[in-house]
Amino acid sequence: MKKFTSVQDVPDLPDWLALARKVKAQPFDFQKYGKNKTLGLVFLNPSLRTRLSTQKAAQNLGMQVMVMNMQQDGWAIEMEDGTVMDGGTQEHIREAAGVLSQYCDIIGLRTFPGLKNREEDYAEKVLTKFIQNATVPVLSLESATRHPLQSFADLLTIEEFKGKPRPKVVLTWAPHPRALPQAVPNSFVEWMKNAEVDLSITHPEGWELAPEFGEGVPVHHNQDAALEGADFVYVKNWSAYQDYGRTGQELRSWMITPEKMQLTNQAKLMHCLPVRRNVVVADAVLDSPQSIVLQQASNRTYTAQTVLLKMLGYAG
Ligand code: AN0
Ligand code: CP
């Protein structure tokens, strides 16, 4: 496996899910695959869960882990080819990715979108350049348009908590004061399309996902109607794709409250975290037994471990 950047890199999702369950049951049973292998985690943006769960996943496999926080500790990276580097950037991505490949057997990269230039973000410029210049397999730790490690954990969590073969899953937009990427909802939808779920999306007009992600998924602009009968409510803010980067922070009535959860089929509440309390979700919901956000975060370890195991060549 040369890369893990989206669900398209997963050849057999049911097989991967079965392995994730096996890994979760016996996390330390696969150490012969990771022994003497090194994982490098490169962050161009902040992270709590992805950093620690992927590190723990690698440790469970017996791997060594090196973490590089480029913003604080690295040189300023140049992404453009053919530039005269007499400005602010100090090291070209060609050397940076090439050098990291000398030290690591697998490299993880987190790179958020700039949310200014939609074309550039959706071309996955940074991730693509990194992969082109790395000589070892690359794992996305959230890129401009997708967060596949998150979505894999989300899917495992839904599989564990579902009470029927085909649960109703509602992805709902919620307000947030800052412009956030579309990566989490894009990816969630992409993975759910490959799962046994009845998926719909609710968001205010103007917050449609990019056509290639939203395509084929029913959309409701009335959040209350959309939540009716839901078994899972996946709440997340994203900034607009059309009016690229627009926040919608004034739309405070979209916050998930106990009253809204009353409309559902005693739904489980999911969020990738970090979550802004009483902006995105009310305290009373996050602190209720309906919230499974910590179980979601826990599953990040086992799904990351499954991905690493496959990247290490595990074929069982
Ligand atoms: C990021 C996002 O929305 O993509 C990371 C979530 C995993 N969230 C924030 O920046 C708050
Ligand atoms: N959910 C998630 O990816 O969290 P971090 O941004 O803290 O890694």
Side-chain angles (χ1 to χ4, degrees), residues 46 49-50 110 112-113 141-143 147 150 176 178-185 236-238 271-276 300:
R49 279 142 292 270
T50 306
R110 168 164 283 199
F112 283 177
L141 306 173
E142 184 173 349
S143 68
H147 193 358
Q150 180 67 50
H176 193 282
R178 291 176 60 180
L180 297 190
Q182 295 114 32
V184 170
K236 180 73 181 84
N237 168 266
W238 62 89
H271 190 285
C272 62
L273 306 181
V275 65
R276 291 200 182 217
R300 291 291 306 271

Side-chain angles (χ1 to χ4, degrees), residues 13-315:
L13 193 49
D15 167 58
W16 281 45
L17 263 175
L19 180 59
R21 288 177 186 274
K22 211 152 107 182
V23 162
K24 187 169 178 174
Q26 303 290 346
F28 308 114
D29 270 11
F30 304 88
Q31 297 199 340
K32 71 170 190 226
Y33 296 93
K35 190 164 181 275
N36 297 332
K37 302 283 183 188
T38 300
L39 173 69
L41 297 177
V42 179
F43 288 90
L44 305 187
N45 312 95
S47 167
L48 189 158
R49 279 142 292 270
T50 306
R51 174 193 311 276
L52 296 182
S53 62
T54 311
Q55 192 163 339
K56 188 172 155 102
Q59 286 166 355
N60 287 352
L61 291 171
M63 298 180 84
Q64 306 292 318
V65 188
M66 299 192 296
V67 182
M68 187 73 196
N69 301 313
M70 289 303 272
Q71 309 287 47
Q72 291 103 285
D73 306 325
W75 301 105
I77 301 294
E78 176 61 52
M79 299 291 169
E80 299 299 332
D81 285 323
T83 38
V84 177
M85 286 174 55
D86 58 358
T89 56
Q90 293 151 311
E91 173 153 37
H92 201 277
I93 186 131
R94 284 178 179 252
E95 280 76 43
V99 167
L100 282 158
S101 304
Q102 307 304 311
Y103 310 142
C104 304
D105 298 284
I106 300 174
I107 308 172
L109 177 71
R110 168 164 283 199
T111 173
F112 283 177
L115 294 175
K116 297 275 181 285
N117 182 335
R118 187 171 86 180
E119 235 166 64
E120 218 167 76
D121 289 345
Y122 273 73
E124 289 286 5
K125 194 175 161 191
V126 177
L127 178 66
T128 305
K129 289 224 167 202
F130 193 89
I131 291 172
Q132 278 166 357
N133 292 292
T135 55
V136 299
V138 173
L139 160 75
S140 165
L141 306 173
E142 184 173 349
S143 68
T145 66
R146 291 175 175 89
H147 193 358
L149 283 179
Q150 180 67 50
S151 312
F152 189 13
D154 297 339
L155 176 56
L156 176 62
T157 311
I158 288 173
E159 287 293 322
E160 289 175 342
F161 280 89
K162 72 181 184 188
K164 56 171 79 130
R166 200 176 160 80
K168 176 171 174 173
V169 176
V170 179
L171 168 64
T172 178
W173 184 92
H176 193 282
R178 291 176 60 180
L180 297 190
Q182 295 114 32
V184 170
N186 283 348
S187 216
F188 182 72
V189 165
E190 200 169 47
W191 284 67
M192 287 300 121
K193 282 179 179 174
N194 286 277
E196 276 301 309
V197 299
D198 169 17
L199 176 68
S200 55
I201 309 177
T202 179
H203 59 68
E205 273 184 66
W207 275 267
E208 288 72 23
L209 295 177
E212 64 267 36
F213 292 98
E215 198 176 45
V217 186
V219 171
H220 305 278
H221 295 133
N222 181 331
Q223 190 189 35
D224 285 358
L227 292 174
E228 234 160 81
D231 298 302
F232 292 90
V233 174
Y234 196 103
V235 56
K236 180 73 181 84
N237 168 266
W238 62 89
S239 62
Y241 173 79
Q242 285 158 324
D243 185 0
Y244 197 59
R246 184 170 163 207
T247 65
Q249 58 176 300
E250 67 284 2
L251 302 167
R252 295 296 273 257
S253 68
W254 281 76
M255 176 174 78
I256 293 294
T257 59
E259 294 71 36
K260 287 184 193 172
M261 291 302 284
Q262 285 287 336
L263 301 168
T264 70
N265 179 30
Q266 295 178 313
K268 297 296 182 200
L269 186 280
M270 300 178 72
H271 190 285
C272 62
L273 306 181
V275 65
R276 291 200 182 217
R277 283 177 168 254
N278 305 311
V279 177
V280 176
V281 185
D283 279 340
V285 178
L286 277 170
D287 297 332
S288 80
Q290 277 176 274
S291 168
I292 54 170
V293 298
L294 296 185
Q295 290 90 335
Q296 245 180 299
S298 168
N299 277 337
R300 291 291 306 271
T301 300
Y302 308 110
T303 44
Q305 201 174 327
T306 303
V307 175
L308 288 172
L309 200 46
K310 288 289 187 184
M311 293 184 96
L312 288 165
Y314 177 83

